[in-house]
Amino acid sequence: MPSVAISASRLTKRFGDRVAVDGVDFDVEVGECFGLLGPNGAGKTTTVRMIHAFTPITAGDLVVLGLRVDDEPVAVKRRLGVVPQEENLDPDLTPWENLMVFARYFDIPRAEARRRAADLLEFVGLTSRAASPLDELSGGMKRRLLIARALLNQPELLILDEPTTGLDPQARHLVWQRLRALKAQGVTQVLTTHYMDEAAQLCDRVALMDAGRILRQGRPADLIRAEVGEEVIEIRGDEALHRAAVAALDGKSLRWERAGDTLYCYCADGRELLPALSTLKPAHLLHRPASLEDLFLKVAGRSLQE
Amino acid sequence: MPHRWPTRRAVRVWERNLTVFRKYSLPSLIGPSIGEPLLYLLGLGFGLGTLVGTVGGLRYVEFVAPGMVMSSTMFAAAYECTYGAYVRMIHQRTYEAIITTPLSLEDVVAGDILWGASKGAFNGTVMLAVVGLFGLAPSPWTLAVPVIIALLAVLFACLSQVVAALAKSFEFFNYYLTLVITPMFLFCGVFFPLESLPRWAQGLARFLPLTYAVEATRALMRGRPSAQALLPILWLVPPTIVAFLLAARLVRRRLIH
Ligand SMILES: Nc1ncnc2c1ncn2[C@@H]1O[C@H](COP(=O)(O)OP(=O)(O)O)[C@@H](O)[C@H]1O
Ligand SMILES: [Mg+2]
């Protein structure tokens, strides 16, 4: 069995003059969960849509499960599951009917489709809702139904475009648990998100995207350690306070950064710095591990680019 | 870009639509597509018919019956492939959902057209049966009318799918129904012989596909179909192919970027 599920090189998508995906390179290994991370407009959806043969690629190479997507879209789609960013269930059908109708597109025999639909509804915790009208389902339930639908053909690769955007915390955690269970079953996953904590929860490796480019990729912990450090101290207050804090830390050759009302101090071990800082009595002083968010803000910058 | 042709998988889309339809069958059956022509048949055929007397040797109700069969076919196909297709394509994103499976967009378009055509053909056939029950189609050749129904249904399904692919909102369909479908209903020999139109209008009507369908159906129902009456039906085929290719291309241009 090949160890690479997706191989993209110089992958490019242009919409007229606008470059949505700008020559990106990445590989996704079989069995891993790979995250495309970035703000709205980064090019995540466009990238995954090229992977599932929805959007034709402008340039570059894209091989999915050993097949060139351009040449064999049907063969690729047969082995993929797709959870789209925008919900597109059949509103006239119940969850059960949604699954049974979708199974036909893959030529799954009826008896087998019934078995899988029952198992999948169970897996996403919707068994009791199998016959409910679709408009009685919450956003989280619909998202879980989309996941069940994407699993009908027992895909080797599952693509999830912002699987938890707009969900409440309980619903998010439920989705995360199901995705981790799938990973344990060996389903390769590519997911997009702009939630850095989601990527940290789920992804073995991530690619940070911004404006159509991949800025960094690798294991979240490695990337954070290499670029941000171990820990972060946040000090909120006015400019005078920030200056005092920097003076207090003087000589420790730390990296710091001011953004609005907050001073971020990146360090290996913040405990030794805290006493000096707390004497300044800032309104808000937070000591925490460095996160993907810090990394992202560092490499993509803090300014909003619309 | 070379044209992509639909495959047999298109039937899956037809099946999907049938599944949905079965849940809501009654209202859409007695909806405008059968109800309206039936009312016209009763009201105009039997009511107005007492004033009109005979047309070309036929009682008026006999004259109107073939046109009712054809126009119910046309209306049903047109409604389904405008409003119905638009809802699936745009509002519900059903097309996008389906093309993540082995089906291509061309399969989806073909399946949806097939479905719209089936509804047209079904309604037309029901009307044909009603007309038969009223004794308005005495000729055994009437049994061949479903072929014309099928051709007309597919044509209007394809044309309407083109309109759906171009529409920005439901409003657009009012234009189509008022400016394209209704004029055909009125001027293609359904209610009066083409010969009663001025020459130039007759010339225009000769461009409209419904004209040929109505004339051929009338000929079959009267029992003496001549080649001259039947062969023009073949003129329905080229616009069908053109409209299908155009619909597939327009839907692709609309959904795939
Ligand atoms: N169909 C389209 N036509 C033109 N521009 C598009 C289209 N789809 C996306 N874009 C643009 O491409 C860029 C990337 O979009 P997208 O892939 O949706 O980003 P993300 O999913 O990361 O939010 C954005 O600037 C967006 O406006
Ligand atoms: Mg997106």
Side-chain angles (χ1 to χ4, degrees):
Chain A
M1 198 172 168
S3 66
V4 178
I6 301 176
S7 168
S9 56
R10 311 303 306 147
L11 184 60
T12 302
K13 179 67 191 184
R14 276 191 289 274
F15 296 109
D17 295 339
R18 167 174 277 161
V19 186
V21 176
D22 194 2
V24 301
D25 298 280
F26 62 89
D27 285 343
V28 176
E29 283 162 29
V30 168
E32 79 173 335
C33 177
F34 185 82
L36 286 170
L37 240 68
N40 287 329
K44 307 182 296 294
T45 296
T46 306
T47 303
V48 296
R49 283 185 157 189
M50 288 192 279
I51 294 171
H52 68 82
F54 186 100
T55 293
I57 70 179
T58 307
D61 283 311
L62 182 59
V63 178
V64 175
L65 301 172
L67 302 164
R68 288 179 54 87
V69 178
D70 267 355
D71 301 339
E72 302 185 71
V74 175
V76 169
K77 289 192 291 178
R78 210 174 266 296
R79 295 162 64 190
L80 292 190
V82 179
V83 177
Q85 183 172 350
E86 314 242 12
E87 182 256 308
N88 57 18
L89 297 160
D90 253 321
D92 299 318
L93 302 176
T94 63
W96 176 262
E97 292 165 335
N98 260 281
L99 296 185
M100 291 303 289
V101 163
F102 216 74
R104 281 206 291 254
Y105 302 139
F106 291 97
D107 291 322
I108 301 169
R110 274 189 86 71
E112 174 66 10
R114 269 196 285 268
R115 207 177 54 70
R116 289 190 198 176
D119 288 351
L120 287 168
L121 286 177
E122 180 78 39
F123 176 72
V124 298
L126 288 175
T127 303
S128 64
R129 295 303 194 126
S132 301
L134 210 70
D135 55 15
E136 288 178 11
L137 265 57
S138 68
M141 291 175 182
K142 285 183 181 164
R143 208 66 64 96
R144 270 142 57 206
L145 182 55
L146 281 172
I147 293 173
R149 192 182 74 176
L151 293 170
L152 273 168
N153 58 323
Q154 301 179 329
E156 294 157 61
L157 172 62
L158 183 62
I159 291 171
L160 303 124
D161 197 356
E162 301 201 10
T164 66
T165 300
L167 301 191
D168 60 42
Q170 283 88 350
R172 278 181 92 196
H173 279 264
L174 198 50
V175 168
W176 288 350
Q177 270 163 19
R178 298 299 81 190
L179 295 184
R180 280 193 293 256
L182 284 171
K183 210 186 91 150
Q185 292 169 23
V187 179
T188 310
Q189 295 171 35
V190 173
L191 74 85
T192 78
T193 183
H194 55 247
Y195 298 126
M196 304 293 155
D197 58 331
E198 176 159 291
Q201 286 273 344
L202 298 174
C203 299
D204 300 304
R205 287 190 312 128
V206 295
L208 303 190
M209 281 190 90
D210 193 31
R213 293 169 186 263
I214 292 180
L215 303 176
R216 298 288 188 281
Q217 56 180 315
R219 304 193 162 275
D222 296 348
L223 290 173
I224 295 166
R225 199 174 316 114
E227 303 239 8
V228 186
E230 301 286 345
E231 299 178 353
V232 179
I233 297 174
E234 296 180 9
I235 304 138
R236 203 159 297 161
D238 58 14
E239 205 181 331
L241 179 82
H242 290 168
R243 249 188 268 117
V246 171
L249 300 175
D250 201 19
K252 300 225 161 52
S253 70
L254 297 166
R255 196 171 71 79
W256 55 71
E257 181 185 10
R258 264 195 81 201
D261 63 355
T262 309
L263 180 76
Y264 296 87
C265 172
Y266 304 97
C267 50
D269 182 358
R271 269 172 307 181
E272 55 192 42
L273 308 175
L274 282 175
L277 292 171
S278 23
T279 58
L280 300 172
K281 301 212 184 318
H284 166 96
L285 178 66
L286 179 66
H287 175 213
R288 58 170 175 79
S291 70
L292 269 178
E293 196 141 331
D294 299 311
L295 172 66
F296 191 84
L297 292 171
K298 182 187 170 205
V299 298
R302 287 181 183 273
S303 61
L304 222 81
Q305 310 129 349
E306 290 285 275
Chain B
M1 185 181 69
H3 189 82
R4 300 169 179 84
W5 289 95
T7 67
R8 255 182 315 178
R9 285 186 280 265
V11 175
R12 300 292 176 226
V13 177
W14 187 91
E15 291 171 350
R16 178 251 166 227
N17 291 345
L18 181 66
T19 306
V20 175
F21 177 69
R22 281 212 296 239
K23 299 188 77 170
Y24 299 94
S25 52
L26 218 61
S28 26
L29 266 186
I30 47 187
S33 33
I34 287 189
E36 207 172 292
L38 193 60
L39 288 175
Y40 274 105
L41 181 70
L42 298 176
L44 289 181
F46 291 110
L48 189 65
T50 57
L51 296 177
V52 174
T54 62
V55 178
L58 293 171
R59 284 190 296 140
Y60 188 61
V61 68
E62 287 171 332
F63 179 84
V64 173
M68 290 302 116
V69 172
M70 288 301 125
S71 53
S72 71
T73 305
M74 172 180 78
F75 276 114
Y79 278 120
E80 187 59 34
C81 285
T82 49
Y83 292 101
Y86 189 77
V87 166
R88 292 187 283 274
M89 175 165 51
I90 304 297
H91 293 212
Q92 298 182 183
R93 301 174 179 273
T94 308
Y95 287 20
E96 290 173 32
I98 298 175
I99 62 173
T100 63
T101 73
L103 277 77
S104 70
L105 194 54
E106 286 68 24
D107 295 333
V108 178
V109 171
D112 234 15
I113 284 175
L114 202 62
W115 171 251
S118 302
K119 279 190 90 173
F122 179 79
N123 283 15
T125 308
V126 170
M127 271 305 289
L128 184 64
V130 171
V131 162
L133 287 177
F134 278 115
L136 303 174
S139 154
W141 289 93
T142 304
L143 294 175
V145 170
V147 176
I148 302 174
I149 291 178
L151 286 171
L152 192 74
V154 176
L155 170 59
F156 275 94
C158 291
L159 287 175
S160 307
Q161 191 84 23
V162 169
V163 175
L166 293 170
K168 296 280 174 263
S169 70
F170 281 163
E171 217 107 294
F172 200 77
F173 301 138
N174 294 340
Y175 290 110
Y176 172 63
L177 293 171
T178 318
L179 299 178
V180 179
I181 299 294
T182 306
M184 290 212 215
F185 186 45
L186 293 176
F187 299 111
C188 289
V190 172
F191 295 108
F192 50 83
L194 282 195
E195 295 76 57
S196 9
L197 289 170
R199 271 211 111 58
W200 61 269
Q202 284 186 43
L204 280 183
R206 288 279 154 214
F207 275 102
L208 302 179
L210 186 63
T211 303
Y212 299 106
V214 170
E215 287 184 346
T217 304
R218 191 167 287 134
L220 286 170
M221 287 185 172
R222 283 161 75 172
R224 26 191 167 86
S226 63
Q228 280 130 298
L230 291 185
L231 284 180
I233 275 296
L234 295 177
W235 284 116
L236 300 192
V237 177
T240 302
I241 295 171
V242 171
F244 172 74
L245 295 177
L246 191 61
R249 188 152 293 206
L250 288 173
V251 170
R252 182 166 277 281
R253 201 181 68 183
R254 178 147 192 185
L255 297 186
I256 309 290
H257 302 282

